[in-house]
Amino acid sequence: MSRASRRALAAVLALAAWGAGTVVGWVVGLPATAGAALAVGRAHAAFEPALDGSQPIFVLVLGSDARAGTPVDRGLADSIHILGIDPAKGRATLLGFPRDAWVPLATGGTGKINAAMPVGGPEAMVRTVEALTGIRLDYWALTGFSGLKRAVDEIGGLEVDLPTTIVGYDTTYPAGRQRLAGRDALQVARTRKSLANGDFGRSEHQGLLMIAALAQFRAEFEEDPTRLFAWLGAGLRHVRTTLSIEELVRLAFTASRVDPARVTNVVVPGSIGSAGGISIVNLSPSAQALYRDLARDGYIAPGAAARLGA
Amino acid sequence: MTPSRAAARRSRTRRLVVPLIALVLAIGVGGAGALWLRGGGAIVPTVVGGERRETPTLTFEVRKVEAQPISRTDPQRLGGEAEAAADRVRQTLEALYQRGFVDPETWGRFDAIAELFDPLAREQAELDLDVLTLGATAETTGFVEPRSGRLAIVVLTDAKDRAIQAIAGVRFRALAEASDGTTVRLASSGSFFLHRVDDAWRIIAYRIDRDDRPGATTSPAEASP
């Protein structure tokens, strides 16, 4: 074969190869594009980091009766609750203490449980309740009359379902669902004398208000996540706490997973007595079983509470 | 072997090797050319319908900025602090959507967006990649054109009135095109929770919904520029 012939053959082969390559390339390209239908549909993703769910969380929630001129942390602690949260199971307990409960005080001696705060502030209340219950409290939160009133007003009122009619100082609140303004919520939280079970009933109503707040927060947060800051802002402007803002945000995420129907509202059982001529509450021996139950996982089942007289 | 025989063998080898190289090159160039002309989305992502297209730049419109103080300061007086924080929040979320949805160099890749998340949120964010970004759809997407992006931002300020946390409501709409002309209307909406780390704003939590629907089908040649 002459040199010219060989060159011509090479050129023809190259052209043929280019053509073959083009066809191959086209075919190879087909699966990547011809079947390139884009994915459609709905999907949801959420990450809202809760507080560590491996162990229960305990918060001592205090309401002070400090009047004008007295610092809120030096008033009598007239509302005392342990909030226990079981993050792993999305349930919680509010364990209320009658303010007249006669107990050993961290500030010295024995007295009404609410008397520890004027002497030693919320920290003394924490030590008193820890010694009484054996439960290690992680945080405390404290508000006063005006704090509660303003916080409720700033979140736009509180929707509650009262189980019975409550005769307040100047207003009667019928049983049933209603929206309470700040002053009304305060009145429901403070009313004692018109209740058949006095201080025990009042403590129960305070727990009821807190559960109502949880239900309302959950609903609002679900509808509009930016409501979280409205609640945090209102809370932190009027509630003092050892929880940092980061922890509060995570606590709020945790709370948003707690079904209000799975929050047990109990008051430590006891009986009315007297000491040195003043009316007191002697806590029932069965209270120890309640404390142990709560300490275990932050939750007391309603049935267990009833069996223990709470 | 004599020198003349060796020279003849070298000449024969040259005659065989040169056409062989030409053949291989021709197949390679031809194949690549065919793929390029087809606009193989998964291989050359920015080429749709045979046209190379510029990657758009996403800009979010901030429709609302609100300050929520934990101090007793009037929120109206915190406008400047809230606006400055909202601007940084906007930058973080623009980076997330630009890298996650619009830029073919990075879309669907977690390493491109990891730094925008707080370390606490990274593990879950990587698992949620298909919702937070173009995700698996990136495999078949040739081009994404942002249609709208809106933010509504609430900024939480601390006791010293410094912005520390933010919640951004987001609404993002875009049109994704496959190289065969198939289109999908991308919709991402929900909320991002961010906190300030030095001067940067990182995502600590999120709640995001995707609702992607089929768009009109166009031929590759008709794909919008």
Side-chain angles (χ1 to χ4, degrees):
Chain A
M1 195 182 283
S2 70
R3 176 171 290 201
S5 300
R6 281 199 301 272
R7 281 181 180 163
L9 181 62
V12 168
L13 274 174
L15 196 61
W18 189 87
T22 301
V23 171
V24 168
W26 192 273
V27 171
V28 166
L30 283 178
T33 54
L38 300 171
V40 294
R42 292 182 178 192
H44 175 78
F47 177 65
E48 291 166 359
L51 289 167
D52 181 7
S54 63
Q55 51 192 349
I57 300 152
F58 296 102
V59 184
L60 184 64
V61 184
L62 302 167
S64 165
D65 82 340
R67 306 305 205 271
T70 303
V72 73
D73 63 355
R74 285 297 184 268
L76 291 163
D78 275 2
S79 173
I80 306 157
H81 289 80
I82 294 178
L83 166 62
I85 305 170
D86 178 1
K89 294 188 175 166
R91 57 190 188 175
T93 295
L94 278 159
L95 179 64
F97 294 83
R99 67 164 190 185
D100 292 340
W102 192 253
V103 300
L105 301 176
T107 49
T110 299
K112 288 187 177 181
I113 191 170
N114 65 354
M117 199 157 79
V119 181
E123 296 296 347
M125 288 300 299
V126 166
R127 290 197 304 275
T128 298
V129 174
E130 282 183 340
L132 177 69
T133 63
I135 295 171
R136 191 186 171 282
L137 300 166
D138 300 297
Y139 309 100
W140 57 259
L142 165 70
T143 192
F145 294 154
S146 70
L148 175 68
K149 202 162 63 176
R150 288 179 184 173
V152 170
D153 283 338
E154 288 176 16
I155 56 163
L158 202 53
E159 187 89 19
V160 295
D161 190 2
L162 295 176
T164 57
T165 296
I166 294 175
V167 181
Y169 304 124
D170 60 15
T171 307
T172 296
Y173 302 94
R177 186 162 287 281
Q178 56 211 286
R179 194 166 194 92
L180 302 178
R183 67 174 295 279
D184 302 314
L186 180 62
Q187 214 165 138
V188 168
R190 292 189 65 200
T191 293
R192 176 173 62 98
K193 289 181 178 163
S194 64
L195 303 179
N197 50 356
D199 208 21
F200 295 92
R202 176 165 78 165
S203 187
E204 189 181 342
H205 288 160
Q206 291 161 354
L208 196 75
L209 290 172
M210 285 189 256
I211 295 171
L214 170 67
Q216 188 168 320
F217 166 72
R218 263 173 56 110
E220 291 184 13
F221 182 60
E222 187 58 36
E223 176 75 22
D224 174 9
T226 64
R227 286 294 293 165
L228 170 62
F229 285 173
W231 281 74
L232 273 184
L236 286 167
R237 281 190 292 275
H238 305 294
V239 179
R240 291 177 55 185
T241 180
T242 48
L243 281 147
S244 69
I245 292 173
E246 296 274 347
E247 287 169 329
L248 272 171
V249 169
R250 295 181 72 174
L251 181 64
F253 288 148
T254 309
S256 72
R257 290 173 208 169
V258 175
D259 181 352
R262 299 191 75 199
V263 181
T264 309
N265 182 23
V266 287
V267 181
V268 179
S271 55
I272 305 297
S274 71
I278 56 169
S279 176
I280 62 162
V281 168
N282 291 306
L283 297 178
S284 162
S286 68
Q288 291 299 326
L290 277 178
Y291 305 151
R292 283 195 298 273
D293 196 1
L294 183 61
R296 198 161 37 239
D297 56 7
Y299 183 69
I300 302 172
R307 277 197 303 279
L308 294 167
Chain B
M1 190 184 290
T2 62
S4 62
R5 274 191 181 180
R9 175 167 285 190
R10 276 199 301 274
S11 174
R12 269 202 307 277
T13 305
R14 247 196 327 268
R15 282 201 298 273
L16 283 172
V17 166
V18 169
L20 201 63
I21 289 172
L23 189 70
V24 168
L25 278 175
I27 289 172
V29 170
L35 282 174
W36 186 80
L37 286 173
R38 273 205 62 80
I43 296 170
V44 190
T46 49
V47 177
V48 174
E51 289 179 38
R52 181 168 288 275
R53 295 159 71 174
E54 289 293 316
T55 300
T57 301
L58 169 69
T59 307
F60 273 122
E61 177 192 355
V62 180
R63 292 210 153 181
K64 183 185 97 171
V65 177
E66 184 185 308
Q68 183 63 251
I70 66 168
S71 70
R72 307 274 169 105
T73 305
D74 180 354
Q76 302 296 326
R77 293 181 53 199
L78 296 171
E81 179 73 9
E83 290 284 349
D87 195 50
R88 301 305 300 268
V89 168
R90 177 185 58 77
Q91 289 173 29
T92 296
L93 294 179
E94 277 179 356
L96 176 66
Y97 279 83
Q98 178 74 27
R99 297 176 200 173
F101 284 90
V102 182
D103 188 344
E105 297 294 323
T106 55
W107 63 28
R109 272 178 38 206
F110 185 68
D111 65 319
I113 58 168
E115 61 161 349
L116 304 173
F117 289 84
D118 185 89
L120 180 72
R122 280 181 197 160
E123 190 181 337
Q124 186 60 44
E126 188 165 10
L127 294 173
D128 291 332
L129 199 62
D130 282 352
V131 178
L132 296 173
T133 72
L134 206 49
T137 307
E139 304 268 325
T140 47
T141 302
F143 187 79
V144 172
E145 181 189 347
R147 291 287 169 90
S148 71
R150 295 176 191 160
L151 298 174
I153 300 170
V154 181
V155 176
L156 187 74
T157 56
D158 67 8
K160 292 179 179 170
D161 295 335
R162 292 173 308 191
I164 47 167
Q165 301 225 2
I167 302 175
V170 62
R171 184 182 179 281
F172 170 75
R173 300 287 182 270
L175 188 71
E177 297 173 22
S179 42
D180 65 353
T182 312
T183 61
V184 164
R185 288 176 287 142
L186 301 172
S188 165
S189 55
S191 301
F192 285 98
F193 303 74
L194 301 96
H195 71 163
R196 185 184 204 151
V197 182
D198 298 325
D199 211 25
W201 285 79
R202 291 211 177 110
I203 299 162
I204 50 170
Y206 51 84
R207 187 191 292 179
I208 295 296
D209 289 300
R210 282 280 290 281
D211 187 5
D212 299 347
R213 299 185 179 194
T217 302
T218 57
S219 70
E222 290 170 338
S224 62

